[in-house]
Amino acid sequence: MRTYDLLKLPHGRITKICCIGAGYVGGPTCAVTANKNPDVSVTVVDLSESRIAAWNSSTLPIYEPGLWEQVQGARDGGADRPQNLFFSTDIDKAIDEAELIFVSVNTPTKTMGAGAGLGSDTSYVEMAIRKIAQVATSDKIVVEKSTVPVRTAETMREILKAIGKPGVHFEVLSNPEFLAEGTAIRDLLAPDRILIGSLLNDHGLQAAAALAEVYARWVPRERIITMNLWSSELAKLAANALLAQRISSINALSAVCEATGADIDEIAFAVGTDSRIGPKMLKASVGFGGSCFKKDVLSLAYISECLHLPEVAAYWQSVVDINEYQKDRFTKRIIRCLYNTLNNKKVAVLGFSYKKDTGDTRESAAISIIDALVAEGAKISIYDPQVLESQIWSDIEKFKGARGDVKQYVTVCKDVYKACEGAHAIIVLTEWDEFSNKQIRKRMDWQRVAESMDRPSFVFDGRNIVDAGKLEEMGFRVECIGKPGSGWFKG
Ligand SMILES: NC(=O)C1=CN([C@@H]2O[C@H](COP(=O)(O)OP(=O)(O)OC[C@H]3O[C@@H](n4cnc5c(N)ncnc54)[C@H](O)[C@@H]3O)[C@@H](O)[C@H]2O)C=CC1
Ligand SMILES: O=C(O)[C@H]1O[C@H](OP(=O)(O)OP(=O)(O)OC[C@H]2O[C@@H](n3ccc(=O)[nH]c3=O)[C@H](O)[C@@H]2O)[C@H](O)[C@@H](O)[C@@H]1O
């Protein structure tokens, strides 16, 4: 076996990067990497022809503030910079040409077999690894960017060794991604940390150093952390589990607030000023969504179960259980306030994405809440400033509560006023700035909405972004998360 040695890299450093998976992570991370490393060629590949075509067009496949500028600069080049970002479906060529390959494919929750509904489905990762092993004719650094169960790198190493061509050496690194959607570009440009896990032998450390060089072009050295492979893999799951646990904790407290007259925003402020707790990720909500929190917490619970740690598994499972409880509690409150019948009542849903500044709807609380309201016979009109109408219909088709054609019960509106016209209730499910009546600019005209609705007009704020007092002055009855509602004695 030829030994892997960084000095054998052309120019002694990374000059060509390939990224397998042109999704929410692969696209933005590579756009920033290419911008910050103009002398490195970065090719993002995907099985999906339509996704690659979109990345090569002026309508990118995902909405993310600041993404267009990053993509355009490196993809199209200009007078002062080369073209060094490419999107392609020629996976084999990109793999073979690169010295470093990011694996950034999806790792959803398993839907069948052992661990269905809990464990991570690593089949896309394995498919990508097998492809690398089959195609590579020169040494490669293979970087796990996807979030994976701890010790996945061991499986990757085994497959690469078994299938790879004789004399070709692969070094596997873990380099989990911590960006959040909606702030992806900001997070990538100024990350809290870059985490690189490697084997702690010479080859592993050399490969980690090569990857660190790529990031060091824009990330201060002290923020580039290196550690052993397994710690790095587990640290990613741990970070998401702890963040999700904070949200479930504050949401559990919000139930206590609603029963007592305490205010969850005041509680979050009071505890968040303790420097040991800190203020972030303490915003009570209708429940966390997104493609990762639920998936990664369940994955950690399943790993714990497989390691014969049932108490640990139950602990993490409870984070997801509270999240489901929060969505259910909010839905029941809506039904109760609307006099226990929603039959044929128009309900306007403002916001369909799982958080603001993204068009992503994966695991959005809106999906299960609307499903439950449809089951009660409500007529739902949905408005979201970014989610594509086709995406909303594709999510709604999976409804359990629908009777017959779902289009009898649901309409998708391009105009917020049309969505609210004649409604008995408005439900705010995403914290888009325009829904807040606290903002001066770009906000919707709540007075206009008040005049167009049926009475009594309810607002259920699942994000605590409205000023309830002001809306009550306009005649609304307002129910927020973790706060006394309009019906409360305010003494
Ligand atoms: N979405 C997010 O904000 C974050 C996601 N992550 C993790 O990053 C990974 C990727 O997530 P997303 O980018 O959101 O997923 P995504 O679903 O948006 O993108 C994954 C892409 O990989 C492609 N793909 C799958 N198998 C392939 C193969 N064998 N060859 C070529 N292309 C293939 C798919 O067609 C898809 O376009 C996941 O493990 C996720 O947990 C980590 C941090 C943030
Ligand atoms: O692994 C991942 O995919 C990513 O998951 C999250 O990022 P993301 O899901 O994009 O967005 P968050 O801002 O964390 O929000 C997740 C959900 O929690 C909700 N949330 C967030 C914060 C809060 O205080 N309260 C709250 O309800 C959001 O509305 C959203 O539905 C993590 O924040 C990222 O660090 C991580 O990289």
Side-chain angles (χ1 to χ4, degrees):
M1 170 76 75
R2 187 155 60 94
T3 57
Y4 180 84
D5 186 343
L6 262 188
L7 299 175
K8 286 185 190 155
L9 285 170
H11 317 291
R13 60 182 174 76
I14 304 295
T15 58
K16 284 201 170 83
I17 291 176
C18 162
C19 172
I20 305 180
Y24 285 86
V25 168
T29 37
C30 285
V32 169
T33 304
N35 266 295
K36 295 294 181 182
N37 289 269
D39 52 344
V40 176
S41 159
V42 181
T43 304
V44 190
V45 293
D46 204 290
L47 293 169
S48 163
E49 285 181 10
S50 60
R51 215 159 196 188
I52 290 299
W55 280 111
N56 280 321
S57 77
S58 55
T59 312
L60 301 182
I62 61 176
Y63 170 71
E64 191 66 58
L67 176 62
W68 171 248
E69 291 74 10
Q70 293 291 327
V71 170
Q72 201 200 15
R75 187 193 68 181
D76 302 342
D80 56 341
R81 58 153 307 122
Q83 231 180 321
N84 69 326
L85 175 64
F86 308 93
F87 295 94
S88 167
T89 49
D90 193 343
I91 300 176
D92 293 17
K93 180 165 176 273
I95 289 176
D96 200 27
E97 286 179 359
E99 296 120 10
L100 184 143
I101 303 162
F102 285 113
V103 177
S104 190
V105 301
N106 38 327
T107 49
T109 301
K110 279 186 83 174
T111 53
M112 56 186 189
L118 288 174
S120 287
D121 175 356
T122 51
S123 61
Y124 300 97
V125 172
E126 184 170 332
M127 207 195 304
I129 292 299
R130 283 179 183 272
K131 178 59 102 179
I132 295 170
Q134 284 154 5
V135 168
T137 55
S138 58
D139 296 354
K140 309 285 175 206
I141 299 173
V142 179
V143 186
E144 242 177 30
K145 188 57 115 176
S146 300
T147 304
V148 289
V150 55
R151 290 203 81 87
T152 298
E154 185 62 30
T155 313
M156 290 167 71
R157 283 165 54 79
E158 213 171 294
I159 293 171
L160 290 165
K161 202 168 168 193
I163 305 179
K165 297 190 174 39
V168 175
H169 182 82
F170 299 97
E171 198 56 44
V172 177
L173 299 177
S174 158
N175 172 220
E177 183 50 60
F178 295 102
L179 69 80
E181 288 178 31
T183 54
I185 299 302
R186 209 169 72 201
D187 297 342
L188 287 164
L189 289 174
D192 286 347
R193 78 308 208 179
I194 294 293
L195 183 55
I196 301 175
S198 71
L199 288 183
L200 300 178
N201 56 26
D202 285 353
H203 297 158
L205 294 172
Q206 281 179 345
L211 178 57
E213 281 305 315
V214 173
Y215 284 113
R217 294 290 185 89
W218 80 99
V219 180
R221 286 273 176 188
E222 65 275 14
R223 293 202 179 183
I224 303 175
I225 306 168
T226 51
M227 58 181 63
N228 90 41
L229 259 175
W230 328 119
S231 302
S232 172
E233 288 179 328
L234 187 55
K236 171 63 195 179
L237 289 180
N240 273 1
L242 287 171
L243 293 172
Q245 182 240 40
R246 267 173 86 92
I247 300 170
S248 278
S249 297
I250 204 77
N251 283 343
L253 285 164
S254 76
V256 179
C257 288
E258 284 164 36
T260 57
D263 181 325
I264 196 63
D265 285 343
E266 292 181 349
I267 304 294
F269 178 71
V271 299
T273 50
D274 184 327
S275 60
R276 293 168 303 173
I277 296 175
K280 293 183 182 170
M281 301 302 274
L282 282 182
K283 183 81 185 155
S285 68
V286 67
F288 59 73
S291 61
C292 293
F293 275 178
K294 182 174 172 187
K295 151 178 98 68
D296 293 345
V297 177
L298 289 176
S299 170
L300 185 55
Y302 183 62
I303 290 167
S304 309
E305 201 177 296
C306 294
L307 294 170
H308 309 291
L309 303 167
E311 290 82 1
V312 180
Y315 174 73
W316 291 115
Q317 176 68 47
S318 74
V319 170
V320 174
D321 293 346
I322 286 286
N323 200 50
E324 297 305 314
Y325 168 72
Q326 186 75 346
K327 288 187 266 183
D328 189 47
R329 222 167 57 73
F330 187 66
T331 310
K332 288 190 172 131
R333 188 164 164 202
I334 295 170
I335 298 169
R336 202 170 55 241
C337 289
L338 292 178
Y339 315 106
N340 290 311
T341 173
L342 267 68
N343 207 16
N344 283 324
K345 284 183 180 162
K346 178 172 173 180
V347 174
V349 169
L350 304 191
F352 197 81
S353 57
Y354 79 94
K355 63 184 280 197
K356 75 170 181 178
D357 291 338
T358 177
D360 195 348
T361 64
R362 290 178 288 181
E363 294 294 336
S364 176
I367 298 173
S368 53
I369 289 172
I370 298 172
D371 191 357
L373 298 180
V374 165
E376 293 286 328
K379 300 233 176 207
I380 307 286
S381 53
I382 302 169
Y383 168 77
D384 187 286
Q386 279 301 334
V387 177
L388 297 175
E389 185 171 342
S390 55
Q391 182 61 52
I392 296 180
W393 287 122
S394 113
D395 289 328
I396 281 178
E397 266 161 25
K398 298 166 208 150
F399 274 8
K400 297 183 217 89
R403 288 157 290 141
D405 181 9
V406 81
K407 290 199 174 172
Q408 286 181 307
Y409 305 100
V410 180
T411 49
V412 179
C413 300
K414 290 194 167 56
D415 177 73
V416 70
Y417 301 107
K418 194 103 195 121
C420 298
E421 197 176 46
H424 291 252
I426 292 175
I427 311 180
V428 179
L429 291 181
T430 313
E431 74 282 22
W432 287 103
D433 290 345
E434 66 182 79
F435 302 150
S436 171
N437 61 339
K438 295 176 189 164
Q439 312 269 331
I440 308 292
R441 267 181 273 159
K442 274 174 55 181
R443 59 173 192 178
M444 59 191 256
D445 182 349
W446 279 93
Q447 186 63 51
R448 177 174 165 192
V449 170
E451 285 157 17
S452 76
M453 282 178 67
D454 213 321
R455 302 221 168 221
S457 321
F458 284 85
V459 174
F460 298 95
D461 181 3
R463 296 293 187 158
N464 288 356
I465 55 164
V466 303
D467 180 330
K470 278 195 205 161
L471 290 189
E472 280 166 1
E473 280 169 23
M474 293 176 193
F476 284 106
R477 297 179 67 167
V478 186
E479 302 286 327
C480 300
I481 299 281
K483 291 169 190 276
S486 290
W488 255 81
F489 170 65
K490 292 187 176 160

